[in-house]
Amino acid sequence: MSEKISPAVIRRLPKYYRYLEELESKKIDKISSSQMSIEMGLNASQIRRDLNCFGGFGQQGYGYSVEKLKKEIARILGLDQRYNVIVIGAGRIGQALMGYKNFMLEGFNVVDIFDNDPAKVGTEVLGREVMDVARLSSYLEEKNIDIAIICTPKEYAQQSADLLVSFGIKAIWNFAPTDVAVRRGVAVENVHLSDSLYVLSYKLKEKIKGTGI
Amino acid sequence: MSEKISPAVIRRLPKYYRYLEELESKKIDKISSSQMSIEMGLNASQIRRDLNCFGGFGQQGYGYSVEKLKKEIARILGLDQRYNVIVIGAGRIGQALMGYKNFMLEGFNVVDIFDNDPAKVGTEVLGREVMDVARLSSYLEEKNIDIAIICTPKEYAQQSADLLVSFGIKAIWNFAPTDVAVRRGVAVENVHLSDSLYVLSYKLKEKIKGTGI
């Protein structure tokens, strides 16, 4: 099956996945698009269109199998794989992400953490010794690392990305408060924590209910 | 001026804001929609439509004033205000957000941190003593708090939200890995860190360039 799924649908898949996980934890094994529509706040016909994009599993008047649908979405997102992850930047955000158990559950295994600050290198974070970024090159030659999380200050973000890409890293999850650019063939997600804080500020000002936007 | 701006435009405003901040830091004071289009990866006519929503400030063949546009977007998002913020949950994520300097720069002042774990209450986080959530009620009566950040484990998230709302909190920024629901008139933003990780996983699998989605 071709995997030509539109970016907008891809962006919605994690939301479906979370919702299906919740159904599973409640031991619900079938779900209709209309019920999903009510609970997820999405249009029912959009849900049907989205799920049809990758074959769907719904039967008229019967609904979707929660297990099958979740499995299929996991497969499309690549969550049926295991990933080795390193963190660059052993500040508070880096340490928090290193210890974020929820990622582990989905196959993202954070194995090591790096910093360029001599005061941090050698200290322990969650049972792992903080490594010197100067050792990245030989480290990455030896180990099979899939994803690097950048948690450096803004001014080190792009050079960290360049370094990682030059050493063969193919996916970067960037938490530094600036976008990093990468060459074709390397995946990047720039996370902007403050974006949702700004939207919250707008909602607060306009007294808009949580689900209003 | 009416502030009826569509949700989709509101969601894009933080991105404009960040971009304008970057221009400002580079001492650029005028920008055309076509240049913005190239640099932001958005359609130029969409940019013009977006900015027209709130009056715009562009002049044909002259462009937008970076300063005026940034100021106007800040006003719409409520970033011209100052907010007092508390953190609920003194785990790693809570501590990281408490120390996240970038929020401070935009007027979000994290003043205190709470936990229900006797082992954490009374310890110090970034110079602040972790307070007992049992003291929230009297604390919120006394202090003028605008926003609460929920960083509790999943199972405490909704009850924390209910508590905060019952004590008059009007805005919740939720980092627990589950959506919290609030009554009308209370603003909430549920942050799902893993959503972008899942999209990154998809991009890695499909070898899609960073800006491809």
Side-chain angles (χ1 to χ4, degrees):
Chain A
M1 176 176 38
S2 158
E3 299 266 309
K4 286 274 174 215
I5 303 172
S6 87
V9 178
I10 293 298
R11 290 262 165 222
R12 282 193 289 272
L13 288 185
K15 192 174 176 180
Y16 288 118
Y17 188 76
R18 275 190 276 115
Y19 173 71
L20 292 163
E21 268 188 324
E22 224 153 278
L23 292 180
E24 221 176 40
S25 75
K26 290 178 190 155
K27 314 271 178 228
I28 295 166
D29 59 357
K30 295 276 175 255
I31 188 76
S32 67
S33 51
S34 55
Q35 192 59 28
M36 283 173 93
S37 161
I38 294 163
E39 295 184 2
M40 293 183 67
L42 290 173
N43 183 294
S45 72
Q46 181 176 57
I47 292 174
R48 283 190 294 268
R49 267 199 316 273
D50 281 359
L51 303 188
N52 278 339
C53 282
F54 46 90
F57 288 93
Q59 275 179 266
Q60 197 73 39
Y62 180 76
Y64 296 90
S65 153
V66 170
E67 190 198 344
K68 276 190 190 165
L69 197 52
K70 179 168 166 264
K71 219 172 188 170
E72 181 61 9
I73 291 175
R75 194 189 62 76
I76 292 169
L77 290 173
L79 301 180
D80 54 351
Q81 315 281 318
R82 293 196 61 76
Y83 298 98
N84 287 324
V85 182
I86 55 171
V87 174
I88 310 297
R92 280 182 289 268
I93 297 265
Q95 294 190 25
L97 290 173
M98 180 148 188
Y100 200 60
K101 278 172 284 180
N102 285 63
F103 301 151
M104 288 281 293
L105 299 177
E106 303 298 340
F108 298 90
N109 187 24
V110 184
V111 289
D112 276 305
I113 184 161
F114 291 79
D115 208 292
N116 67 352
D117 179 354
K120 283 184 186 146
V121 172
T123 62
E124 223 177 71
V125 172
L126 297 161
R128 306 295 301 177
E129 200 176 282
V130 177
M131 297 172 78
D132 194 327
V133 285
R135 289 171 60 190
L136 256 182
S137 168
S138 57
Y139 175 91
L140 290 174
E141 250 174 56
E142 245 173 69
K143 307 255 180 167
N144 190 14
I145 302 297
D146 307 290
I147 297 171
I149 311 181
I150 294 181
C151 300
T152 66
K154 189 174 173 166
E155 54 273 29
Y156 291 119
Q158 185 61 54
Q159 71 187 68
S160 299
D162 293 343
L163 205 66
L164 290 160
V165 170
S166 77
F167 296 151
I169 281 287
K170 288 284 183 289
I172 289 174
W173 200 26
N174 174 36
F175 278 78
T178 183
D179 285 358
V180 299
V182 290
R183 65 166 173 72
R184 191 173 287 274
V186 178
V188 68
E189 278 281 300
N190 290 300
V191 177
H192 296 286
L193 289 180
S194 48
D195 282 13
S196 76
L197 181 61
Y198 295 174
V199 173
L200 183 68
S201 156
Y202 173 83
K203 288 177 176 178
L204 178 61
K205 190 188 107 196
E206 299 286 320
K207 298 186 177 52
I208 291 171
K209 185 175 174 286
T211 50
I213 305 200
Chain B
M1 177 177 35
S2 159
E3 299 266 311
K4 286 276 174 213
I5 303 172
S6 88
V9 178
I10 293 298
R11 289 264 164 223
R12 281 193 290 272
L13 288 185
K15 192 175 176 178
Y16 288 117
Y17 188 75
R18 275 191 276 115
Y19 173 69
L20 292 163
E21 268 188 324
E22 223 152 278
L23 293 180
E24 221 176 40
S25 74
K26 291 178 192 155
K27 314 271 179 226
I28 294 167
D29 60 357
K30 296 275 175 253
I31 188 76
S32 67
S33 51
S34 54
Q35 191 58 29
M36 283 173 93
S37 161
I38 293 164
E39 294 184 2
M40 295 184 68
L42 290 172
N43 183 295
S45 71
Q46 181 177 57
I47 292 175
R48 283 190 293 269
R49 267 199 317 275
D50 281 358
L51 303 187
N52 278 340
C53 281
F54 47 90
F57 288 92
Q59 275 179 265
Q60 197 74 40
Y62 181 75
Y64 296 91
S65 154
V66 170
E67 190 198 346
K68 276 191 190 166
L69 196 52
K70 180 168 165 264
K71 219 172 188 171
E72 180 63 9
I73 291 175
R75 195 190 61 77
I76 292 169
L77 289 173
L79 301 180
D80 53 350
Q81 315 280 317
R82 293 197 59 79
Y83 298 99
N84 287 324
V85 181
I86 56 171
V87 173
I88 310 298
R92 281 181 289 267
I93 297 266
Q95 294 190 25
L97 290 172
M98 181 149 188
Y100 200 60
K101 278 171 284 179
N102 286 64
F103 301 151
M104 287 281 293
L105 299 178
E106 302 299 338
F108 298 90
N109 187 24
V110 184
V111 289
D112 276 304
I113 184 162
F114 291 79
D115 208 292
N116 67 352
D117 179 354
K120 283 184 186 145
V121 172
T123 63
E124 223 176 72
V125 172
L126 298 161
R128 306 295 301 177
E129 200 176 282
V130 177
M131 297 173 78
D132 193 329
V133 283
R135 289 171 59 190
L136 256 182
S137 167
S138 58
Y139 176 91
L140 290 174
E141 250 175 55
E142 246 174 67
K143 307 254 179 167
N144 190 15
I145 302 298
D146 307 289
I147 297 171
I149 311 181
I150 294 181
C151 300
T152 67
K154 188 173 172 166
E155 54 273 28
Y156 290 119
Q158 186 60 54
Q159 71 188 67
S160 299
D162 293 345
L163 204 67
L164 290 160
V165 171
S166 76
F167 297 151
I169 282 286
K170 289 285 185 288
I172 290 174
W173 200 25
N174 174 37
F175 279 77
T178 183
D179 286 0
V180 300
V182 291
R183 66 165 173 72
R184 189 173 289 275
V186 178
V188 68
E189 277 282 298
N190 291 299
V191 177
H192 296 286
L193 289 180
S194 48
D195 282 13
S196 75
L197 181 60
Y198 294 174
V199 173
L200 183 68
S201 156
Y202 173 83
K203 288 177 176 177
L204 178 60
K205 191 188 109 199
E206 299 287 319
K207 298 185 178 52
I208 291 172
K209 186 176 173 286
T211 50
I213 304 199

